[in-house]
Amino acid sequence: MSVPEEPETTAAVPLLAPVDGVPPVLDTPAEIAEAARRLAGGTGPLAVDAERASGFRYSNRAYLIQLRRAGAGSFLIDPVPVDEALTPLADAINGLEWVLHSADQDLPGLAELGLYPARLFDTELGGRLAGYERVGLAAMVERLLGRELRKGHGAADWSTRPLPDEWLNYAALDVELLLELRDAVAVELEHQGKTDWAAQEFEHVRRAEPSAPKAERWRRTSGIHTLRRTRQLAIVRELWTTRDRLARLRDVAPARILPDSAIVSAATGEPKTIAQLRALPIFGGPRQRRYSREWLGAVERARALPDSELPPLTQPFDGPPPVNRWERRDPAAAARLASARAAMTELSNEVSIPVENLLTPDLLRRMCWDGLPLTVTNGDGPALIDAFLTAGGARPWQRELAVPRLAAALYPAPKA
């Protein structure tokens, strides 16, 4: 299956401002109702983007929504003051096909506002399936449309009010060419025979449920690997939980309340008084001093725990252990994984789709660790693999491609 080579480098035409100018920010019920009326009168799919405040806020909410539809134009909506007045907008757009770039980033926050697509086209995911090495919005716009979108303010604090004009210009440009990009990606997917595969993937993203929080998230604290005693881990856990509660209450990113380095420092030093706590790095700062009693209380709770309630040094596995331990714990499983990975890499090269888009690495690991019998009879291997992948959420197109390769790798025919 051939994938077009990168086009010869030509000077892309910079797109510095929306053709029709930067639209005003709509933040009243009357303005939302008028935007909904105009969008309902447009034609074709709806370009959608949303700006969040990751790294600044605890929540994943959308602080600006950008919309564009043929025949209606572009709209910038501030949902914060009108989140209770978005029903007209939902009525106008929820029945449409939405076009987003990396849709899984924005759909959860939009869903919180009652906004859901009836159909989805994800240009970033479409680019991956088309075999493009660079799938950022700017890179794909340049490759397929010959226009230059300059990097801007995606990592900014979009909860800022008022939003600077420069940021609004950047936000409007994010949807300016999204509909044209959708059409160009669709043509390429059709050319490669991947239209149906993409449709299955888009629908999977559209229907995806929010991910459940991972167990023992406190173990992801940066620097925790330097701690060697279970009592120290208990301090990390208590401080992390306290920080998370405060961050949620204030809607502030946890690291802005207390960085991970300070948590590890307290676990190492085990302060017994507020004076000792404030002598540690960070804890003496003005933003942290106001919570000194909270931080010390967390340390004291950890210190008072009986040994039986201390967390183990390593997190219990939910599923297979880390791959670097397979060879020692189960050499047969390690060999199966190596064979399966080789088969999937070969398939990836043939269809020009990243391995992780053919099957999730976690699903492949679980299958090779304990998901299948070591041997089969009567040629049951493909059926067993297909059933396992189906239960794991693999789409039909993925199973159609992967099952024969995995069956040959995991249950090779005996040599004559």
Side-chain angles (χ1 to χ4, degrees):
M1 183 173 294
S2 63
V3 175
E5 297 180 357
E6 286 274 1
E8 293 185 8
T9 302
T10 57
V13 179
L15 185 61
L16 303 179
V19 173
D20 298 324
V22 178
V25 177
L26 310 180
D27 58 5
T28 69
E31 291 172 336
I32 300 302
E34 174 59 17
R37 184 191 67 78
R38 290 175 55 190
L39 286 164
T43 58
L46 176 74
V48 180
D49 192 24
E51 304 296 345
R52 294 164 287 127
S54 302
F56 297 90
R57 296 290 181 176
Y58 186 92
S59 67
N60 196 40
R61 69 171 299 166
Y63 283 95
L64 186 72
I65 302 172
Q66 305 101 285
L67 306 172
R68 182 174 178 83
R69 193 181 189 198
S74 294
F75 301 85
L76 299 179
I77 295 174
D78 179 356
V80 176
V82 291
D83 58 357
E84 300 295 328
L86 294 177
T87 299
L89 182 65
D91 292 341
I93 70 174
N94 282 11
L96 303 177
E97 176 192 293
W98 289 12
V99 182
L100 293 97
H101 195 80
S102 194
D104 59 339
Q105 300 295 311
D106 292 334
L107 287 179
L110 293 168
E112 291 180 7
L113 299 170
L115 304 176
Y116 314 87
R119 297 173 303 283
L120 177 67
F121 193 105
D122 186 331
T123 50
E124 189 264 356
L125 181 52
R128 291 182 182 277
L129 297 177
Y132 298 157
E133 292 186 1
R134 299 189 302 147
V135 293
L137 180 60
M140 289 185 62
V141 164
E142 181 175 349
R143 172 174 183 154
L144 295 174
L145 304 179
R147 304 300 301 270
E148 178 188 353
L149 282 177
R150 295 179 178 173
K151 294 181 180 180
H153 308 281
D157 180 5
W158 287 89
S159 65
T160 299
R161 292 297 183 272
L163 289 167
D165 292 342
E166 185 180 353
W167 295 14
L168 296 175
N169 183 75
Y170 162 85
L173 287 176
D174 271 353
V175 293
E176 181 78 3
L177 297 177
L178 202 51
L179 298 175
E180 290 88 338
L181 182 63
R182 176 236 182 268
D183 291 343
V185 173
V187 167
E188 184 57 43
L189 291 170
E190 178 67 26
H191 175 71
Q192 296 184 29
K194 298 175 179 176
T195 298
D196 182 58
W197 301 355
Q200 292 180 41
E201 287 302 283
F202 298 159
E203 185 65 4
H204 175 73
V205 172
R206 188 183 76 87
R207 291 179 172 272
E209 296 291 334
S211 300
K214 294 189 177 184
E216 299 194 335
R217 290 185 296 151
W218 60 270
R219 287 188 182 270
R220 299 175 66 88
T221 302
S222 179
I224 195 173
H225 65 282
T226 63
L227 304 178
R228 296 290 180 265
R229 295 190 294 108
T230 55
R231 186 72 59 182
Q232 293 174 324
L233 293 188
I235 294 174
V236 170
R237 182 175 62 185
E238 290 295 333
L239 283 171
W240 187 98
T241 302
T242 299
R243 180 185 69 175
D244 192 68
R245 174 176 57 81
L246 294 172
R248 185 188 299 271
L249 287 173
R250 295 180 55 197
D251 191 19
V252 175
R256 290 184 170 270
I257 289 182
L258 189 69
D260 284 2
S261 61
I263 290 179
V264 173
S265 175
T268 303
E270 299 187 34
K272 295 180 174 58
T273 66
I274 286 181
Q276 291 177 355
L277 176 77
R278 290 179 174 176
L280 296 174
I282 307 297
F283 285 98
R287 287 190 297 177
Q288 285 73 34
R289 289 173 68 91
R290 61 188 293 198
Y291 296 116
S292 292
R293 185 64 255 174
E294 299 264 10
W295 306 135
L296 188 62
V299 175
E300 290 172 342
R301 287 192 299 274
R303 189 181 293 116
L305 287 174
D307 290 349
S308 60
E309 296 182 17
L310 297 178
L313 285 175
T314 58
Q315 183 175 9
F317 296 126
D318 176 20
V323 173
N324 59 9
R325 302 184 188 181
W326 283 33
E327 185 64 41
R328 177 172 54 84
R329 294 187 56 177
D330 192 337
R336 287 157 65 82
L337 181 61
S339 296
R341 282 177 163 177
M344 294 305 295
T345 298
E346 182 180 33
L347 177 60
S348 169
N349 292 333
E350 290 181 14
V351 298
S352 298
I353 293 177
V355 171
E356 62 270 20
N357 289 107
L358 290 171
L359 281 181
T360 63
D362 180 68
L363 183 59
L364 193 67
R365 287 193 295 267
R366 287 175 182 271
M367 183 183 69
C368 292
W369 179 251
D370 59 6
L372 297 173
L374 294 178
T375 60
V376 296
T377 57
N378 302 321
D380 290 338
L384 291 170
I385 294 172
D386 187 73
F388 185 89
L389 297 183
T390 300
R395 273 68 74 194
W397 76 271
Q398 294 174 316
R399 304 199 307 272
E400 181 181 353
L401 292 174
V403 167
R405 302 301 183 97
L406 291 173
L410 299 177
Y411 301 116
K415 295 181 180 180

PDB file of all heavy atoms in Angstrom, residues 6-23:
ATOM      1  N   GLU A   6       6.596  12.935   0.820  1.00  0.00           N
ATOM      2  CA  GLU A   6       6.488  14.350   1.161  1.00  0.00           C
ATOM      3  C   GLU A   6       6.674  15.186  -0.102  1.00  0.00           C
ATOM      4  O   GLU A   6       7.595  14.928  -0.883  1.00  0.00           O
ATOM      5  CB  GLU A   6       7.564  14.731   2.185  1.00  0.00           C
ATOM      6  CG  GLU A   6       7.285  14.217   3.586  1.00  0.00           C
ATOM      7  CD  GLU A   6       6.400  15.148   4.375  1.00  0.00           C
ATOM      8  OE1 GLU A   6       5.985  16.187   3.815  1.00  0.00           O
ATOM      9  OE2 GLU A   6       6.118  14.848   5.545  1.00  0.00           O
ATOM     10  N   PRO A   7       5.792  16.149  -0.347  1.00  0.00           N
ATOM     11  CA  PRO A   7       5.959  16.975  -1.539  1.00  0.00           C
ATOM     12  C   PRO A   7       7.256  17.763  -1.481  1.00  0.00           C
ATOM     13  O   PRO A   7       7.800  18.014  -0.412  1.00  0.00           O
ATOM     14  CB  PRO A   7       4.737  17.906  -1.485  1.00  0.00           C
ATOM     15  CG  PRO A   7       4.331  17.932  -0.053  1.00  0.00           C
ATOM     16  CD  PRO A   7       4.658  16.568   0.490  1.00  0.00           C
ATOM     17  N   GLU A   8       7.752  18.112  -2.651  1.00  0.00           N
ATOM     18  CA  GLU A   8       8.968  18.912  -2.699  1.00  0.00           C
ATOM     19  C   GLU A   8       8.762  20.215  -1.940  1.00  0.00           C
ATOM     20  O   GLU A   8       7.691  20.817  -1.974  1.00  0.00           O
ATOM     21  CB  GLU A   8       9.340  19.211  -4.153  1.00  0.00           C
ATOM     22  CG  GLU A   8       9.756  17.973  -4.938  1.00  0.00           C
ATOM     23  CD  GLU A   8      10.228  18.340  -6.338  1.00  0.00           C
ATOM     24  OE1 GLU A   8      10.367  19.552  -6.605  1.00  0.00           O
ATOM     25  OE2 GLU A   8      10.449  17.427  -7.131  1.00  0.00           O
ATOM     26  N   THR A   9       9.805  20.598  -1.225  1.00  0.00           N
ATOM     27  CA  THR A   9       9.706  21.781  -0.388  1.00  0.00           C
ATOM     28  C   THR A   9       9.489  23.039  -1.233  1.00  0.00           C
ATOM     29  O   THR A   9      10.259  23.341  -2.138  1.00  0.00           O
ATOM     30  CB  THR A   9      10.979  21.952   0.456  1.00  0.00           C
ATOM     31  OG1 THR A   9      11.167  20.784   1.243  1.00  0.00           O
ATOM     32  CG2 THR A   9      10.860  23.167   1.361  1.00  0.00           C
ATOM     33  N   THR A  10       8.404  23.710  -0.966  1.00  0.00           N
ATOM     34  CA  THR A  10       8.124  24.999  -1.591  1.00  0.00           C
ATOM     35  C   THR A  10       7.743  25.968  -0.488  1.00  0.00           C
ATOM     36  O   THR A  10       7.334  25.564   0.601  1.00  0.00           O
ATOM     37  CB  THR A  10       6.980  24.902  -2.611  1.00  0.00           C
ATOM     38  OG1 THR A  10       5.819  24.374  -1.958  1.00  0.00           O
ATOM     39  CG2 THR A  10       7.361  23.978  -3.769  1.00  0.00           C
ATOM     40  N   ALA A  11       7.879  27.224  -0.768  1.00  0.00           N
ATOM     41  CA  ALA A  11       7.579  28.232   0.245  1.00  0.00           C
ATOM     42  C   ALA A  11       6.075  28.263   0.499  1.00  0.00           C
ATOM     43  O   ALA A  11       5.292  28.603  -0.393  1.00  0.00           O
ATOM     44  CB  ALA A  11       8.075  29.593  -0.221  1.00  0.00           C
ATOM     45  N   ALA A  12       5.660  27.857   1.708  1.00  0.00           N
ATOM     46  CA  ALA A  12       4.247  27.917   2.062  1.00  0.00           C
ATOM     47  C   ALA A  12       3.832  29.370   2.251  1.00  0.00           C
ATOM     48  O   ALA A  12       4.613  30.211   2.709  1.00  0.00           O
ATOM     49  CB  ALA A  12       3.998  27.124   3.341  1.00  0.00           C
ATOM     50  N   VAL A  13       2.598  29.646   1.907  1.00  0.00           N
ATOM     51  CA  VAL A  13       2.073  31.003   2.035  1.00  0.00           C
ATOM     52  C   VAL A  13       1.609  31.228   3.476  1.00  0.00           C
ATOM     53  O   VAL A  13       0.721  30.521   3.955  1.00  0.00           O
ATOM     54  CB  VAL A  13       0.902  31.235   1.061  1.00  0.00           C
ATOM     55  CG1 VAL A  13       0.348  32.640   1.227  1.00  0.00           C
ATOM     56  CG2 VAL A  13       1.347  30.974  -0.371  1.00  0.00           C
ATOM     57  N   PRO A  14       2.194  32.154   4.204  1.00  0.00           N
ATOM     58  CA  PRO A  14       1.784  32.374   5.597  1.00  0.00           C
ATOM     59  C   PRO A  14       0.321  32.815   5.692  1.00  0.00           C
ATOM     60  O   PRO A  14      -0.148  33.620   4.891  1.00  0.00           O
ATOM     61  CB  PRO A  14       2.722  33.488   6.080  1.00  0.00           C
ATOM     62  CG  PRO A  14       3.860  33.485   5.122  1.00  0.00           C
ATOM     63  CD  PRO A  14       3.296  33.050   3.798  1.00  0.00           C
ATOM     64  N   LEU A  15      -0.367  32.264   6.662  1.00  0.00           N
ATOM     65  CA  LEU A  15      -1.724  32.696   6.976  1.00  0.00           C
ATOM     66  C   LEU A  15      -1.647  33.426   8.311  1.00  0.00           C
ATOM     67  O   LEU A  15      -1.543  32.801   9.365  1.00  0.00           O
ATOM     68  CB  LEU A  15      -2.664  31.494   7.064  1.00  0.00           C
ATOM     69  CG  LEU A  15      -4.148  31.806   7.278  1.00  0.00           C
ATOM     70  CD1 LEU A  15      -4.711  32.624   6.123  1.00  0.00           C
ATOM     71  CD2 LEU A  15      -4.944  30.525   7.456  1.00  0.00           C
ATOM     72  N   LEU A  16      -1.673  34.741   8.248  1.00  0.00           N
ATOM     73  CA  LEU A  16      -1.409  35.553   9.436  1.00  0.00           C
ATOM     74  C   LEU A  16      -2.670  36.020  10.138  1.00  0.00           C
ATOM     75  O   LEU A  16      -2.627  36.391  11.318  1.00  0.00           O
ATOM     76  CB  LEU A  16      -0.563  36.769   9.047  1.00  0.00           C
ATOM     77  CG  LEU A  16       0.782  36.440   8.368  1.00  0.00           C
ATOM     78  CD1 LEU A  16       1.515  37.719   8.007  1.00  0.00           C
ATOM     79  CD2 LEU A  16       1.632  35.550   9.270  1.00  0.00           C
ATOM     80  N   ALA A  17      -3.796  36.025   9.423  1.00  0.00           N
ATOM     81  CA  ALA A  17      -5.055  36.486  10.008  1.00  0.00           C
ATOM     82  C   ALA A  17      -6.206  35.849   9.246  1.00  0.00           C
ATOM     83  O   ALA A  17      -6.058  35.508   8.063  1.00  0.00           O
ATOM     84  CB  ALA A  17      -5.164  38.005   9.949  1.00  0.00           C
ATOM     85  N   PRO A  18      -7.350  35.652   9.887  1.00  0.00           N
ATOM     86  CA  PRO A  18      -8.509  35.105   9.179  1.00  0.00           C
ATOM     87  C   PRO A  18      -8.908  36.002   8.011  1.00  0.00           C
ATOM     88  O   PRO A  18      -8.781  37.236   8.086  1.00  0.00           O
ATOM     89  CB  PRO A  18      -9.597  35.074  10.260  1.00  0.00           C
ATOM     90  CG  PRO A  18      -8.857  35.054  11.556  1.00  0.00           C
ATOM     91  CD  PRO A  18      -7.618  35.871  11.326  1.00  0.00           C
ATOM     92  N   VAL A  19      -9.371  35.385   6.936  1.00  0.00           N
ATOM     93  CA  VAL A  19      -9.747  36.138   5.743  1.00  0.00           C
ATOM     94  C   VAL A  19     -10.798  37.198   6.061  1.00  0.00           C
ATOM     95  O   VAL A  19     -10.731  38.331   5.554  1.00  0.00           O
ATOM     96  CB  VAL A  19     -10.258  35.176   4.657  1.00  0.00           C
ATOM     97  CG1 VAL A  19     -10.825  35.951   3.466  1.00  0.00           C
ATOM     98  CG2 VAL A  19      -9.141  34.253   4.193  1.00  0.00           C
ATOM     99  N   ASP A  20     -11.745  36.860   6.889  1.00  0.00           N
ATOM    100  CA  ASP A  20     -12.823  37.800   7.233  1.00  0.00           C
ATOM    101  C   ASP A  20     -12.551  38.564   8.518  1.00  0.00           C
ATOM    102  O   ASP A  20     -13.461  39.198   9.067  1.00  0.00           O
ATOM    103  CB  ASP A  20     -14.148  37.038   7.364  1.00  0.00           C
ATOM    104  CG  ASP A  20     -14.551  36.372   6.059  1.00  0.00           C
ATOM    105  OD1 ASP A  20     -14.304  36.964   4.990  1.00  0.00           O
ATOM    106  OD2 ASP A  20     -15.108  35.251   6.107  1.00  0.00           O
ATOM    107  N   GLY A  21     -11.314  38.493   9.013  1.00  0.00           N
ATOM    108  CA  GLY A  21     -10.990  39.167  10.258  1.00  0.00           C
ATOM    109  C   GLY A  21     -11.306  38.294  11.465  1.00  0.00           C
ATOM    110  O   GLY A  21     -11.995  37.277  11.361  1.00  0.00           O
ATOM    111  N   VAL A  22     -10.803  38.703  12.602  1.00  0.00           N
ATOM    112  CA  VAL A  22     -11.052  37.959  13.835  1.00  0.00           C
ATOM    113  C   VAL A  22     -12.465  38.245  14.314  1.00  0.00           C
ATOM    114  O   VAL A  22     -12.817  39.416  14.549  1.00  0.00           O
ATOM    115  CB  VAL A  22     -10.037  38.341  14.928  1.00  0.00           C
ATOM    116  CG1 VAL A  22     -10.338  37.593  16.227  1.00  0.00           C
ATOM    117  CG2 VAL A  22      -8.612  38.060  14.463  1.00  0.00           C
ATOM    118  N   PRO A  23     -13.287  37.230  14.474  1.00  0.00           N
ATOM    119  CA  PRO A  23     -14.663  37.493  14.928  1.00  0.00           C
ATOM    120  C   PRO A  23     -14.684  37.923  16.391  1.00  0.00           C
ATOM    121  O   PRO A  23     -13.756  37.618  17.151  1.00  0.00           O
ATOM    122  CB  PRO A  23     -15.353  36.140  14.744  1.00  0.00           C
ATOM    123  CG  PRO A  23     -14.261  35.140  14.795  1.00  0.00           C
ATOM    124  CD  PRO A  23     -13.052  35.805  14.206  1.00  0.00           C
TER     125      PRO A  23
END
